Amino acid sequence: MTGEPRSADIFAGQPGDADLLAAIYDLEHDDVTQDLGFYRELTRRGGGTVLDLGCGSGRLLGAFVAGGASRVVGIDGSPALLRRAEARVRGDPRLSALRDAGSMELLLGDVRRPRVGGRFRLAVAAGVLPHLDGPEDAVRMLAAAASCLDDGGLLVLDDIGPGALPSRDLPLSVDWRRELDGRPIVRRSQLAQRETPEGLRVDYATLTDAVRPDGTIARLPASFRLWYPSMAVLQRLLESGGLVTETTYGSHDLDPLDEESERRILIARRAARPPGG
Ligand SMILES: C[S@@+](CC[C@H](N)C(=O)[O-])C[C@H]1O[C@@H](n2cnc3c(N)ncnc32)[C@H](O)[C@@H]1O
């Protein structure tokens, strides 16, 4: 879409300190828990091995382990988020037991060209697709995910659904006020959106004020270019990546997917190879 290939590190090039941005990211996302039961049950049913593409700070790792995962590999492009994932593993006896047994790996890498050994029963890309630059990058990730699935393995694409996408630009406003290490944090954001033939493009800018220990304020601006392909485009991309959709859901409670859905969850499997292919 633009000349520069997009970095796999979402904090690369942001003016603020990446570790603070990652801490604020967790402050915002750690209370997102409504999907944990979904991933626990999917792991339980699918069995065994899980590849978490764009694992971030490892929010979903506990759900995979609670579902009985025998091997979990997480890949993320952000060193700062991976450091937090590693801390999460160290702080959780169930996760560290799997890690000590050599069955949990957290890898710095790019979901468009993941370097992992072995095949997986379940590959999960939760919230990752919108960070890719567009159709070409998406097909790279999808084809790579397909090649990591074992026979009967499933890929889950889990993103914001049509009912929760912005229908207009949103001016700068306060999203939340929280505390980090006992000090106040204020998060503001604004967004500009536009429809394109390949889906909705969103320029999302955040401005976070964090009070430092000495009482001064660190102001952290960050911006993200997000992309939400239409369903028709996504189905074509899955096909190009060698996948077919098996099931769709509009929520982690397994509601049907429709125009009002808050989530768009697609579960796909590898397409059958053509005879002789
Ligand atoms: C919205 S977060 C979701 C994190 C996690 N899956 C969850 O549900 O909590 C998107 C994640 O994708 C990662 N990411 C984006 N583009 C990537 C790329 N090209 N390669 C690897 N990771 C990427 C980001 O670093 C971030 O951790």
Side-chain angles (χ1 to χ4, degrees), residues 121-175:
R121 297 292 303 160
L122 190 63
V124 174
V128 184
L129 190 75
H131 284 281
L132 302 183
D133 205 19
E136 276 182 32
D137 271 1
V139 172
R140 283 191 189 104
M141 178 181 81
L142 295 170
S147 71
C148 292
L149 291 177
D150 73 8
D151 289 341
L154 297 174
L155 168 69
V156 184
L157 288 180
D158 179 352
D159 294 300
I160 294 175
L165 289 175
S167 53
R168 60 184 174 83
D169 293 354
L170 297 175
L172 188 65
S173 55
V174 173
D175 297 330

Side-chain angles (χ1 to χ4, degrees), residues 6-11 25 29 32 35 39 52-60 75-79 81 88 107-113 124-132 137 141 158 263:
R6 185 173 295 200
S7 169
D9 180 0
I10 56 169
F11 299 137
Y25 175 92
H29 290 91
V32 178
D35 53 355
Y39 285 108
D52 188 0
L53 293 161
C55 64
S57 62
R59 195 180 58 82
L60 299 176
I75 296 181
D76 204 275
S78 159
L81 285 170
R88 190 189 295 268
L107 307 174
L108 182 63
D110 191 330
V111 297
R112 295 165 293 187
R113 46 191 89 83
V124 174
V128 184
L129 190 75
H131 284 281
L132 302 183
D137 271 1
M141 178 181 81
D158 179 352
R263 300 298 301 178

Side-chain angles (χ1 to χ4, degrees), residues 70 95 102 114 116 119 134 165 198 256 270:
S70 56
L95 301 184
V116 282
R119 300 251 175 147
L165 289 175
E198 72 272 7
R270 277 212 316 258

Side-chain angles (χ1 to χ4, degrees), residues 17 89 102 158 224 273:
D17 170 72
V89 171
D158 179 352
F224 305 93
R273 280 175 211 215

